[in-house]
Amino acid sequence: MADFTHLLDAVAAGDPKAAAELLPLVYDELRKLAAARMAEEKPGQTLQATALVHEAYLRLVGPDANRHWDGRGHFFAAAAESMRRILVDRAREKGRQKRGGGLHRIDVDALDLATTVTPDQLLAVDEALAKLAATDPTAARVVELRYFAGLTVEEAGAALGVSTATAYRHWNYARAWLHGEFRGAGDS
């Protein structure tokens, strides 16, 4: 663990050798996160889990990256956010190309990790998470870690440095808030 933290600090300082040494330590976990996330996408995606890991890693340690992490949990939370942004960017691109970018209403229960998510649903979730983050950033991060990184509520709480009970409170609040947001979007 101390080696991991030391490598994170070296990467944050801009050491390219440390970035090369960090990749083998985190690759398997990042690959599992990406594979779980890609399994939820519709079949026929051109982006593979390996490519998602590589692109996310480059965003994390590349020359233009904001490379300051407070430990392993923070690093993987940043990786989850990076993967989310990559998938959302791709969904937006597909929406512009194929359907004019129109969004469709989704049910909050579709946030279950076992469902297949369309690009339109992914965009709707991203938009709702941005609104939620404006009022309750911690609740939005719990949803992001659950939905995009596949973490349990307990793991998300640990990554955010909050107790399990607090993580569950944020998760329950976020689910209720998202349910109301999606229900309201369907009424308009």
Side-chain angles (χ1 to χ4, degrees):
M1 186 61 94
D3 290 335
F4 187 86
T5 305
H6 175 68
L7 282 175
L8 284 179
D9 292 340
V11 169
D15 182 0
K17 184 180 175 198
E21 292 175 19
L22 179 65
L23 182 59
L25 296 177
V26 298
Y27 187 81
D28 287 338
E29 284 187 65
L30 291 176
R31 181 78 169 84
K32 287 176 189 174
L33 291 174
R37 185 64 196 109
M38 293 304 296
E40 299 167 14
E41 296 291 317
K42 290 177 100 175
Q45 293 291 323
T46 57
L47 182 67
Q48 299 297 318
T50 301
L52 180 59
V53 168
H54 291 183
E55 190 169 340
Y57 190 76
L58 285 175
R59 287 187 182 194
L60 289 170
V61 301
D64 298 330
N66 180 6
R67 296 176 276 190
H68 177 70
W69 306 288
D70 294 330
R72 183 180 188 88
H74 189 218
F75 176 81
F76 283 104
E81 181 176 342
S82 182
M83 288 181 193
R84 169 187 169 198
R85 289 175 190 240
I86 291 165
L87 292 170
V88 167
D89 289 346
R90 289 186 57 87
R92 282 189 179 126
E93 182 64 30
K94 285 182 181 182
R96 282 193 298 267
Q97 290 175 356
K98 292 183 179 180
R99 292 170 291 285
L103 298 178
H104 299 283
R105 175 171 128 28
I106 65 168
D107 186 8
V108 73
D109 294 328
L111 292 176
D112 184 16
L113 294 173
T115 63
T116 301
V117 178
T118 67
D120 292 337
Q121 290 171 329
L122 184 63
L123 289 173
V125 169
D126 182 62
E127 184 179 306
L129 278 177
K131 287 181 184 177
L132 176 59
T135 59
D136 191 339
T138 305
R141 292 291 289 157
V142 169
V143 173
E144 183 177 275
L145 291 171
R146 295 261 305 135
Y147 184 68
F148 290 98
L151 300 181
T152 64
V153 175
E154 294 84 3
E155 292 168 335
L160 295 172
V162 299
S163 70
T164 300
T166 299
Y168 270 105
R169 279 193 298 273
H170 284 296
W171 173 243
N172 290 331
Y173 169 75
R175 287 186 64 208
W177 189 93
L178 289 168
H179 190 294
E181 182 70 17
F182 291 135
R183 179 173 282 168
D187 294 340
S188 57

